[in-house]
Amino acid sequence: MADAKPKWLERNVSGVLLDISGVLYNSGKEGGEVIPGSVEALERLKAAGFKVRLCTNETQCTREDLVKKLGRFGYKLSVSEMFAPAPAMRAVLQKRDLRPHFLIHAGGRPDFEGLNCDNPNCVVIGDAAESFTYESMNTAFRVLLENHTLFSMGYGKYYRTDGQLVLDVGPFAKALEYACDTKAEIVGKPSALFFTTALEDMGVAVQDAIMIGDDIQNDVGGAQAAGIRGVQVRTGKFRPEDEKHPTVKPDGFVDNLAQAVGLIVKYGK
Amino acid sequence: MADAKPKWLERNVSGVLLDISGVLYNSGKEGGEVIPGSVEALERLKAAGFKVRLCTNETQCTREDLVKKLGRFGYKLSVSEMFAPAPAMRAVLQKRDLRPHFLIHAGGRPDFEGLNCDNPNCVVIGDAAESFTYESMNTAFRVLLENHTLFSMGYGKYYRTDGQLVLDVGPFAKALEYACDTKAEIVGKPSALFFTTALEDMGVAVQDAIMIGDDIQNDVGGAQAAGIRGVQVRTGKFRPEDEKHPTVKPDGFVDNLAQAVGLIVKYGK
């Protein structure tokens, strides 16, 4: 483990934003598996007085379900620490009085209960996984062609589940954008608003925060665009090619969350 | 029927390129249905001495199957008059010694028989329709992420089948492009090479040719980019919005092929 003070800790830290999938655990069919050392690392980070929020694009389940799932690995988290796209998305739909057609995973539907979906005038897309079928894409496309209002909960390219890479919501959002000559409004990472809302919640300024994630574009690049340092872990969907990414240069790389926390606790204050 | 000489016939015509689906017939489950007047129009065009080639992005069946299918509506066509992506695609794969992974419709597979597909190092995508599943998209994505060579047989956004609009190959090609940070090489419309190959086959110069199709971007816009006049029919996937398209301005609009041929025969020579 690198022990010297890394460049990304030359400025102090008071708050840390963490991605979940690929940082705390790897998703998979039986609930996935914990990433070794991450449970202890998260406890150590909090115990050392750093403020922490979880920043995820998870839309296959509610935040309540996610807290329970992570609890089985030993994570002690509360819903109020979790920032996920669905609550923000629901607020946008209500504020703009829109009637959504959902192309999302069934596990994420409870977050949208009670909304009026008759005669839809916009499309909301999330990581629908197996529910991305030719039929479901066509149905969303036909709604969108008439209304042109598309929301994408996240814009990620792919992630790791059950040990292999699979497509995230981003490519399917791109498909609909192209088909209907429109541009999705992104709710979730890499939207700057999503990161800064989490920072405001813990009362931390952008220059005092670090985002740690496995997605070079949505976690690292997104945070950097919002003025936050972005550090990539070599777990989850990390690929060696990321270290020579053509456009995103992370402030730092670490092997895993445990290494990041070791450095933050030692040099961050 | 408009009877005055239209602007798009101020220059003479010697060759006509025709799209098939949406111009000659509308596709659908029971083989689809003929567009009224198109069988007679095509015969009239040929009888008047105009050279004709069919330019299609059809990849759900072979050209032989398509000739048979159209024959049932009364069209007298031969395979040699048909320009479709598959033969050109096959030639590219062989010339560049590539081992393809196919994400295409089962009906189009016979055109690629005998090619070496072991340990694939490129992806070929076509209008796979119901075969666009989360699983098939993931398989193609994983091949592409390692190799970055993607061929798309066409780049259309949508088309009409069984009376409703459905997604074409383009959106799914876009999805894979985004996921893997790559750009598809297009074989078929709107590639200029595809149009000019058909013109060379009939010995007609670009300035003496007209393309007639229902797709404002791939037929009309594609032809225009190759220097060929592009006329849109108000059949097939045509939508009234096309007449105020933000980027493509067709040389002309006609209600259907019959009207186009009436004008060409009267004013084109």
Side-chain angles (χ1 to χ4, degrees):
Chain A
M1 196 183 275
D3 218 15
K5 182 170 182 167
K7 272 203 144 186
W8 53 276
L9 284 170
E10 282 176 1
R11 220 189 309 135
N12 284 353
V13 179
S14 57
V16 180
L17 300 176
L18 296 179
D19 180 30
I20 295 180
S21 174
V23 176
L24 301 190
Y25 83 116
N26 284 315
S27 73
K29 284 210 176 59
E30 308 286 317
E33 50 186 27
V34 72
I35 293 176
S38 288
V39 172
E40 301 74 17
L42 182 52
E43 297 223 345
R44 191 178 168 205
L45 187 64
K46 287 181 175 181
F50 292 93
K51 290 178 182 173
V52 177
R53 292 292 182 276
L54 288 306
C55 249
T56 177
N57 275 353
E58 180 64 68
T59 58
Q60 292 198 352
C61 63
T62 64
R63 289 178 301 163
E64 289 77 6
D65 292 336
L66 193 54
V67 164
K68 273 184 219 158
K69 186 159 96 171
L70 293 170
R72 287 195 284 273
F73 296 128
Y75 289 104
K76 295 184 193 84
L77 294 163
S78 67
V79 169
S80 63
E81 294 173 285
M82 298 273 196
F83 282 78
M89 185 69 252
R90 186 182 175 104
V92 168
L93 293 169
Q94 289 180 312
K95 189 175 173 191
R96 289 164 58 176
D97 203 17
L98 289 164
R99 300 181 307 276
H101 169 80
F102 288 105
L103 177 48
I104 64 174
H105 194 279
R109 282 309 296 264
D111 277 330
F112 298 103
E113 255 171 31
L115 293 177
N116 178 10
C117 300
D118 297 335
N119 186 22
N121 57 8
C122 71
V123 169
V124 174
I125 184 172
D127 171 21
E130 279 75 18
S131 298
F132 285 128
T133 64
Y134 189 55
E135 197 185 338
S136 71
M137 286 290 285
N138 278 330
T139 305
F141 150 69
R142 287 190 288 258
V143 171
L144 197 58
L145 196 60
E146 297 305 316
N147 296 284
H148 293 273
T149 303
L150 173 64
F151 296 97
S152 188
M153 294 193 289
Y155 213 51
K157 295 181 172 190
Y158 54 84
Y159 61 95
R160 185 174 295 278
T161 192
D162 285 318
Q164 62 181 357
L165 298 178
V166 296
L167 292 168
D168 198 351
V169 62
F172 297 94
K174 278 278 177 193
L176 293 176
E177 286 180 346
Y178 176 66
C180 300
D181 286 311
T182 191
K183 189 87 191 79
E185 298 178 42
I186 299 164
V187 176
K189 299 178 285 187
S191 151
L193 182 64
F194 193 69
F195 292 110
T196 54
T197 302
L199 290 187
E200 277 166 25
D201 185 64
M202 56 180 177
V204 168
V206 290
Q207 65 271 20
D208 300 326
I210 285 182
M211 170 78 206
I212 299 172
D214 66 333
D215 188 316
I216 189 156
Q217 292 190 304
N218 286 285
D219 294 329
V220 176
Q224 289 177 330
I228 301 163
R229 281 165 276 178
V231 171
Q232 191 179 12
V233 288
R234 295 192 186 92
T235 51
K237 81 183 79 174
F238 168 81
R239 302 168 73 231
E241 291 88 329
D242 292 344
E243 303 207 24
K244 44 187 186 198
H245 193 278
T247 56
V248 182
K249 305 289 170 209
D251 291 275
F253 286 96
V254 290
D255 287 343
N256 47 42
L257 180 61
Q259 188 183 41
V261 168
L263 291 163
I264 291 169
V265 168
K266 188 166 180 185
Y267 298 114
K269 285 231 169 173
Chain B
M1 195 182 274
D3 219 13
K5 182 171 184 167
K7 271 203 144 185
W8 53 275
L9 283 171
E10 283 177 359
R11 220 188 309 134
N12 284 353
V13 179
S14 56
V16 180
L17 300 175
L18 296 178
D19 180 29
I20 295 179
S21 174
V23 177
L24 300 191
Y25 82 118
N26 286 314
S27 72
K29 284 208 177 62
E30 308 286 318
E33 50 187 27
V34 72
I35 292 176
S38 288
V39 173
E40 302 73 17
L42 182 52
E43 297 222 344
R44 192 177 167 204
L45 188 63
K46 287 181 174 180
F50 293 92
K51 291 178 181 172
V52 177
R53 292 292 183 274
L54 288 306
C55 248
T56 179
N57 276 354
E58 180 63 69
T59 58
Q60 292 197 352
C61 64
T62 64
R63 290 178 300 165
E64 289 76 4
D65 292 335
L66 193 53
V67 164
K68 271 183 221 160
K69 186 158 94 170
L70 293 170
R72 287 194 286 271
F73 296 126
Y75 289 104
K76 294 185 194 88
L77 294 163
S78 67
V79 169
S80 63
E81 294 172 284
M82 298 273 195
F83 282 78
M89 185 69 252
R90 186 183 174 104
V92 168
L93 292 169
Q94 289 179 312
K95 190 176 175 191
R96 288 164 58 178
D97 203 18
L98 289 164
R99 300 182 305 277
H101 169 79
F102 288 105
L103 176 49
I104 64 173
H105 194 280
R109 282 308 297 265
D111 276 330
F112 298 103
E113 255 172 30
L115 293 178
N116 178 10
C117 300
D118 296 336
N119 186 22
N121 57 6
C122 70
V123 169
V124 174
I125 185 172
D127 172 22
E130 279 74 17
S131 299
F132 285 128
T133 64
Y134 189 54
E135 197 185 338
S136 71
M137 286 290 285
N138 278 329
T139 305
F141 151 67
R142 288 190 288 260
V143 171
L144 197 58
L145 195 61
E146 298 305 317
N147 296 285
H148 295 270
T149 303
L150 173 65
F151 296 97
S152 188
M153 294 192 289
Y155 212 54
K157 295 182 172 190
Y158 53 83
Y159 61 94
R160 186 174 295 277
T161 190
D162 284 318
Q164 61 182 357
L165 298 177
V166 296
L167 293 167
D168 198 352
V169 62
F172 297 94
K174 278 276 175 193
L176 293 176
E177 287 180 346
Y178 176 65
C180 301
D181 287 311
T182 191
K183 190 86 191 82
E185 298 178 43
I186 300 164
V187 176
K189 297 179 287 188
S191 152
L193 182 64
F194 193 70
F195 293 108
T196 54
T197 302
L199 290 188
E200 277 166 25
D201 185 65
M202 54 182 177
V204 168
V206 288
Q207 66 271 19
D208 299 326
I210 285 181
M211 170 77 206
I212 300 172
D214 66 334
D215 188 317
I216 189 154
Q217 290 189 306
N218 286 287
D219 294 328
V220 177
Q224 288 177 330
I228 301 163
R229 280 166 277 179
V231 170
Q232 191 178 11
V233 288
R234 295 192 186 93
T235 52
K237 80 182 81 173
F238 168 81
R239 301 168 73 232
E241 291 88 328
D242 293 345
E243 303 206 25
K244 44 188 185 200
H245 193 278
T247 55
V248 182
K249 305 287 171 210
D251 291 275
F253 286 95
V254 288
D255 287 342
N256 47 44
L257 181 62
Q259 188 183 41
V261 167
L263 291 163
I264 292 169
V265 169
K266 188 165 180 184
Y267 299 114
K269 286 232 169 173

